[in-house]
Structure formats: C-alpha cells, structure tokens
Amino acid sequence: MDATFLMNSLWVMLSAVLVIFMLGGFILLEAGSTRMKNAGHIAGKTIFTFGLASLVFWAIGYAFIFGGNGNFFVGLTDFFYSGEQAEGAALSTPVFFLFQLAFAGISITIALGGFAERAKLSVYLFFTILFSALVYPVIAHWIWGGGWLAEHGKQDFAGSTVVHLTGAMAAFAATILLKPRIGKYNKDGSANNIQGHNQVYTALGVLILWIGWFGFNAGSTVSVDNGFFGFVALNTNLAAGAGAVAALIISWMVLGKSDVPTMLNGALAGLVAITASCAFVDTWAAVVIGFIAGILVFYSARFFEKRKIDDPIFALSVHGVAGVWGTLSTGFFATPELATVGLPGLFYGGGFTQLGVQLMGVVSSGAYAFVVSFVLLAIAKKLLSGLRVTEEEEVMGLDISEHGSYGYPEVFASKEQNVGS
C-alpha cells in the first residue's frame, strides 16, 4: 500500500475521532450553561441526535454534498453510501465519509442549542432528520461539493459558514418560534440572568472543543503533505487564545469584573472565526481575527438579550456572529501565497472581489438556513401540536417530564422524598 495514502487515511481518521469527541464538549458546555433539572436530557439528546444524523447523512446527506451528476444545488449519486473506495483518491473514501459525517453532526448539535430547556423531545427528532437532509447538505454542496458558491471561489476552509453559521441560523429560527424560557424576562422587558448550574462543566466543555478543533481545522487539510496541518493548527490555537483574552478584557472593562462565561465564549468565538480562514491567512492575522471575534461575542450577546431573543448557550453569538466575521475575514486577510481557493484579500491587493464573494456566501447561506429551518419548525409546530413543553413540564424540568428520570437523582429524588414525608 502507498505510504502517503496510508498516512493521509490515518490522519483524517484521527481527525474524525477528534471532531466526534467534540460532542462530549458540547454536552458539558450545554449542560453546565443550563439548569441541572435539564442536564440528563441534554446529555441523552446529544447522543441520540448524532446517531440519527449519522443515519440521515449515510442515506441522503453525503449524496447531496459530494454525489456525482451534481448541479448547482445538490449532488445526485451515492445515496445510502456503500463504503466503496473512490478510484484515484488520495485517502480512504470511507474515512473521508466519516470525517464529513462528523461535521454534519456538529452542525445539528449547534442548531439544537437554540432549543435548550423548553422544546419537546419529538421536535428534536423531527428537526434533526429534516435539517440533516435538507439544510446542512445543501449549503455544504454549494461551498464544498462543487456547487454555485464554489464556482465563485467562496473561501471556507473548515466551515465557519457551512457548519457554524448554518447551525446558528437554525438555532435563531428555533429561538424565535419557541420564545423565551419562563422567567427570562420581566413584565417591564428587563432580562433576568438564568445562570448555568456548573461553570466547571462549561469550562471543561470548552477545553474539549478547543482540542477537538485541531481535528476540525487541521484535519480539513485531509493530507499530510508538507506537514501543512501544523500551520493550520497553529493559526487555530492563536485565534482561540486571542478570543479568550479579548473577551476577558472587554468584560472587565465594561462590567468591572472578568466574567468567566464571557471569556469561555471568547475562546469559542475565536475558534469559530478562524475556521474559515485558518489555511489562508498569516499567523498575525489569525490573532487579529480571534481578538475581534472575542469582542464581537460580548457585544452581540448583549444585543440579542436586549431584543428578547433567549439564547441559553449563546449559539447565535458564538457560532453565528463569529461565523459571519470569520467568513468575511478571509476577504481581508487571505494572502496570495495561501489563497489556494479564490483570490487574495483586500489587504493583500486583491481588491473587493473576494470580500464580495464572502459576503454573498454569508447572505445566501444564512438566509437559506434560516428560512428553511423556520418553515420546517413551523410545520413541526402544526404536526406535533406545538414546539414547546407545557409550563408545568418546563418548571419540572425536561429530565423528568421527557425521560422520566433525573440527571442528578440524588438531588431531586431526595427533595421529592422530603416533600412527601
């Protein structure tokens, strides 16, 4: 067997494992950022939605993205992918399939963040199937599968638009239709801070995501040639660090305290932002991109809260706003030497052409993800007699109302016993 083929396959398989392991990060992040009465539900639904999304991706998603006889909208072969090795490929095709499947799983996980603490379990199931079939694969084909945005030279190396903005816009549609959680807003319109139950879980979740991002970005080289994945990993790490520092500084300056959740969101925003540009920009630019993302995540979270958009895990700010900024950033910072897709950015003599392509990609992809997700959820609302659990069930918590068991049985079961005695 060719040594390069084997090394490429091993590298991408390792990266796929890292990306799938990011689900563990999302479980800790979302559970820690919300109340303990919903923790078991969050952990369980994250696992079963990944399983469901995997089956849909195998049956339909991979074909829509990378299938042959494709048009500007979707591909049209390789439904129910058989595991067949593509002739002449530089790595194992089944490994490439698993790597891409992991990305689809991350995108739906981001989208479901907008459902937190109030959506019915049946809505999770309904939306996971249709998002994985009709939303994510279409946008991925447009940019990565040879669709119309790819023909314009759209730059999105590992998915600031494809994975993060797509998931965030679906979460946005969900937050609008579900409306805020009970107790989030007062009658005068002021917002209450519904604190997460475990900041340590949240921090560990961010650390797992940070590590997993090396598979996300560096793995997207899908090759070991020249060790370029090391450069991509370096840019990824610098942007995350800059995002965390920027968010820490801005929260300290504005709030008078260095807010820990803001700092954690800053690290994630830096990672999301550098995802589009990690292979196209110099290291100094990666620091600038991450730093700006850290500031954006702080102000955008306050912006959404003031407009009564209840986003419990900051999916709109971290994945949406930072995803937009990261996508546009290549239009400013892509260098002539590194821009293997599209053109150099504005600051390197490329003019406004690439920036315009990036903006077109953001608007078209974001609008498609939002509109289709909104329609799907509106249909679900009709078919499932509403998207949201009852007020009594929401107060009780989704662990017991949707699953019949507690994530923290020692805490809640003992309280019930005390009340009953």
Side-chain angles (χ1 to χ4, degrees), residues 73 126-127 130-139 142 166 169-170 173-174 177 364-380:
F73 197 70
F126 181 90
F127 189 71
L130 294 179
F131 177 91
S132 301
L134 302 176
V135 181
Y136 176 82
V138 173
I139 293 173
W142 289 356
T166 298
M169 294 310 289
L177 287 169
S364 57
S365 301
Y368 178 84
F370 176 80
V371 171
V372 176
S373 297
F374 194 93
V375 171
L376 294 176
L377 287 167
I379 294 171

Side-chain angles (χ1 to χ4, degrees), residues 47-69:
I47 297 300
F48 75 66
T49 52
F50 179 63
L52 195 55
S54 297
L55 295 174
V56 176
F57 189 83
W58 163 72
I60 300 172
Y62 185 76
F64 275 176
I65 302 172
F66 298 108
N69 301 325

Side-chain angles (χ1 to χ4, degrees), residues 39-398:
H41 162 77
I42 288 167
K45 64 90 178 169
T46 303
I47 297 300
F48 75 66
T49 52
F50 179 63
L52 195 55
S54 297
L55 295 174
V56 176
F57 189 83
W58 163 72
I60 300 172
Y62 185 76
F64 275 176
I65 302 172
F66 298 108
N69 301 325
N71 51 44
F72 77 101
F73 197 70
V74 291
L76 294 171
T77 64
D78 293 326
F79 294 99
F80 300 94
Y81 173 62
S82 67
E84 182 180 359
Q85 175 64 35
E87 189 175 345
L91 76 162
S92 164
T93 307
V95 168
F96 180 74
F97 173 90
L98 283 171
F99 186 57
Q100 293 298 329
L101 182 157
F103 278 57
I106 295 299
S107 191
I108 183 61
T109 303
I110 293 167
L112 297 181
F115 293 55
E117 297 203 299
R118 57 213 193 276
K120 293 178 180 177
L121 183 66
S122 55
V123 174
Y124 281 100
L125 296 170
F126 181 90
F127 189 71
T128 295
I129 294 170
L130 294 179
F131 177 91
S132 301
L134 302 176
V135 181
Y136 176 82
V138 173
I139 293 173
H141 176 77
W142 289 356
I143 298 171
W144 292 341
W148 70 277
L149 283 172
E151 291 177 356
H152 281 86
K154 169 79 161 58
Q155 294 170 342
D156 189 10
F157 190 72
S160 286
T161 297
V162 173
V163 178
H164 296 279
L165 180 60
T166 298
M169 294 310 289
F172 187 31
T175 56
I176 291 173
L177 287 169
L178 282 163
K179 303 187 185 315
R181 292 167 292 175
I182 295 172
K184 176 61 182 174
Y185 291 99
N186 302 311
K187 288 183 179 178
D188 62 0
S190 59
N192 296 311
N193 181 19
I194 301 179
Q195 293 187 341
H197 85 278
N198 195 320
Q199 213 165 72
V200 177
Y201 279 9
T202 307
L204 283 172
V206 171
L207 179 61
I208 290 173
L209 290 169
W210 189 325
I211 293 170
W213 233 285
F214 294 125
F216 211 95
N217 286 2
S220 290
T221 57
V222 296
S223 168
V224 297
D225 280 353
N226 303 318
F228 184 63
F229 58 82
F231 177 78
V232 174
L234 173 61
N235 273 355
T236 300
N237 200 70
L238 290 173
V245 171
L248 180 80
I249 292 172
I250 198 69
S251 70
W252 210 337
M253 290 173 61
V254 175
L255 305 175
K257 296 285 184 183
S258 53
D259 185 59
V260 172
T262 299
M263 184 271 290
L264 297 174
N265 285 336
L268 292 177
L271 288 163
V272 169
I274 200 62
T275 296
S277 55
C278 50
F280 304 136
V281 301
D282 286 329
T283 52
W284 70 266
V287 173
V288 173
I289 291 168
F291 195 89
I292 292 174
I295 295 172
L296 286 174
V297 78
F298 174 78
Y299 283 109
S300 62
R302 293 161 67 91
F303 172 84
F304 289 126
E305 184 170 86
K306 285 183 178 177
R307 278 148 188 81
K308 295 187 178 180
I309 297 171
D310 184 15
D311 180 18
I313 64 165
F314 305 101
L316 304 183
S317 300
V318 170
H319 301 280
V321 174
V324 169
W325 160 237
T327 302
L328 295 178
S329 71
T330 68
F332 292 108
F333 298 106
T335 74
E337 296 78 18
L338 295 170
T340 53
V341 176
L343 301 171
L346 178 65
F347 298 152
Y348 286 86
F352 287 94
T353 303
Q354 190 61 41
L355 187 59
V357 171
Q358 299 301 102
L359 180 61
M360 179 172 64
V362 165
V363 173
S364 57
S365 301
Y368 178 84
F370 176 80
V371 171
V372 176
S373 297
F374 194 93
V375 171
L376 294 176
L377 287 167
I379 294 171
K381 189 175 182 178
K382 290 282 186 185
L383 295 178
L384 303 174
S385 302
L387 301 176
R388 191 163 171 159
V389 296
T390 65
E391 286 190 15
E392 182 183 11
E393 290 170 333
E394 185 175 337
V395 171
M396 187 188 307
L398 301 185

